[in-house]
Amino acid sequence: MKKLITYGLLVVLAAGALSCGKTETVTQTPELRLRPVAQNPTKADPELAGTSLGTDNTYVVYLSASCDQQPQFMTGQLYSYISATTKWEASSAIGTANPLYWPLAEKLDFLGLACTPAAYTALTPAWHATTSANSVTITDWDTYAKQYDVMYAAANGQTSASNSGTVNLAFRHTMALVCFTAQASVAGAITINGITINDLEYEGTLTVDNTHTGLTATWSDFAAPANKLAYNLSGTTADYAYAVTTSATQCCQHLLVPQQAAKSVTLEYTMNGAVTSLDIVLHLPRAIWKAGYKYTYALNFTPTEITVTPSVTDWDNTPVEQML
């Protein structure tokens, strides 16, 4: 007489089988692991650096999964990098594996966020109340005060048979990156005292929607726009004082901003030997600062003029033909 217990992956338990003449067959589904990558990863502050999410768990993944029988199969489950062998696994704490396994004969939809643990704690994302992989929302996110590079990804209709139970997730950035460089024809001739982005839309609600054929991330309910000073290289807005050199060099920290139309910029600077600083409004070319792109404005000071040269790249610094 043969007793058959079916769960998924064939494991033969022979304990006692020889003496009683029975064979117990147990099938176990594979562990549900991740293979996350970041599309167009960034190269500098305050964004993700490198060509992937890395292996030091500075960035981790929070994952939701749903299927017909279990619409809340997992909700905001922490996934972290464990080892070169097991890669990314469900975790009870960062770096501590607590494996989860695929359900039987079910296709799962996945929706994930990749960010620092501090970002997830500060932003308190809300996953869909009944079908967790349908959407995630971050409400009233002050992106100026909370400069977090939050990324999102989805993979739908996945089964345990694909990639030995490993889910591939390609993460996209939720914001655009605005950057400034400066150079002068004479070293020491100019000191930048501040760069202000005028009428910046900086606080709103982000919704990542996985209920349609295309994954979308949209901003809504913006607070009133305001003039916002770019952070200096030390990461503050105080004591800006950047001495411009003859080489085009980053003159302030990059600024993550929600997708929106490009804004004008007020430049405050002092000429060598002068007591009073000068302000000038720079009207940038019309463009949309699109999420996932890096917009760099190169300031060039000569004795007679200030010029601004714009460029747009992917976040890996691959040039794009025109301002988007």
Side-chain angles (χ1 to χ4, degrees):
M1 177 179 179
K2 181 179 292 186
K3 184 177 179 182
L4 184 64
I5 306 174
T6 303
Y7 290 93
L9 178 63
L10 188 63
V11 178
V12 177
L13 303 178
L18 294 178
S19 60
C20 67
K22 295 181 179 180
T23 299
E24 299 246 350
T25 303
V26 177
T27 307
Q28 181 174 312
T29 58
E31 182 183 347
L32 202 164
R33 296 174 177 167
L34 295 187
R35 186 180 292 113
V37 297
Q39 292 183 340
N40 300 331
T42 63
K43 301 295 184 183
D45 56 272
E47 328 83 273
L48 170 67
T51 58
S52 72
L53 295 186
T55 60
D56 63 357
N57 285 324
T58 298
Y59 281 75
V60 295
V61 173
Y62 297 91
L63 188 67
S64 289
S66 303
C67 57
D68 290 341
Q69 298 301 316
Q70 300 180 74
Q72 295 188 23
F73 179 75
M74 66 173 74
T75 302
Q77 170 64 48
L78 171 66
Y79 268 75
S80 64
Y81 183 86
I82 302 300
S83 72
T85 301
T86 60
K87 305 295 185 184
W88 290 71
E89 297 182 82
S91 306
S92 57
I94 295 171
T96 302
N98 185 24
L100 292 175
Y101 296 86
W102 286 82
L104 286 174
E106 285 280 358
K107 290 184 177 181
L108 286 176
D109 294 338
F110 293 93
L111 179 63
L113 294 179
C115 57
T116 64
Y120 195 81
T121 298
L123 300 175
T124 60
W127 301 89
H128 193 278
T130 58
T131 307
S132 53
N134 274 3
S135 66
V136 60
T137 302
I138 299 173
T139 304
D140 297 332
W141 179 3
D142 183 341
T143 64
Y144 182 75
K146 298 175 180 178
Q147 282 276 285
Y148 296 125
D149 188 9
V150 177
M151 292 159 282
Y152 65 99
N156 298 318
Q158 303 295 299
T159 68
S160 61
S162 301
N163 302 315
S164 301
T166 299
V167 179
N168 295 317
L169 288 175
F171 284 92
R172 313 174 194 177
H173 298 272
T174 57
M175 287 191 278
L177 199 63
V178 177
C179 317
F180 295 91
T181 65
Q183 70 179 114
S185 57
V186 179
I190 299 291
T191 297
I192 294 177
N193 302 315
I195 297 176
T196 299
I197 300 177
N198 301 316
D199 295 323
L200 180 69
E201 294 176 303
Y202 66 96
E203 181 177 355
T205 293
L206 172 69
T207 301
V208 180
D209 187 348
N210 191 31
T211 61
H212 296 82
T213 53
L215 180 65
T216 60
T218 56
W219 290 87
S220 62
D221 300 327
F222 277 111
N227 298 344
K228 292 295 182 180
L229 186 67
Y231 294 99
N232 64 26
L233 290 173
S234 67
T236 71
T237 57
D239 301 322
Y240 206 101
Y242 176 78
V244 181
T245 68
T246 55
S247 299
T249 307
Q250 180 181 343
C251 58
C252 59
Q253 282 199 343
H254 299 163
L255 189 67
L256 290 160
V257 301
Q259 180 167 308
Q260 61 193 277
K263 308 301 181 182
S264 66
V265 170
T266 298
L267 173 67
E268 181 183 354
Y269 66 99
T270 304
M271 301 182 67
N272 185 30
V275 176
T276 304
S277 63
L278 302 172
D279 290 350
I280 184 172
V281 177
L282 305 175
H283 294 286
L284 305 180
R286 284 193 298 175
I288 298 296
W289 288 337
K290 298 180 82 172
Y293 289 87
K294 177 179 177 181
Y295 298 84
T296 301
Y297 297 94
L299 309 177
N300 186 28
F301 297 84
T302 71
T304 58
E305 63 181 357
I306 303 170
T307 60
V308 182
T309 303
S311 64
V312 58
T313 63
D314 288 337
W315 288 42
D316 62 357
N317 292 325
T318 300
V320 177
E321 289 186 359
Q322 59 184 359
M323 297 293 291
L324 300 179

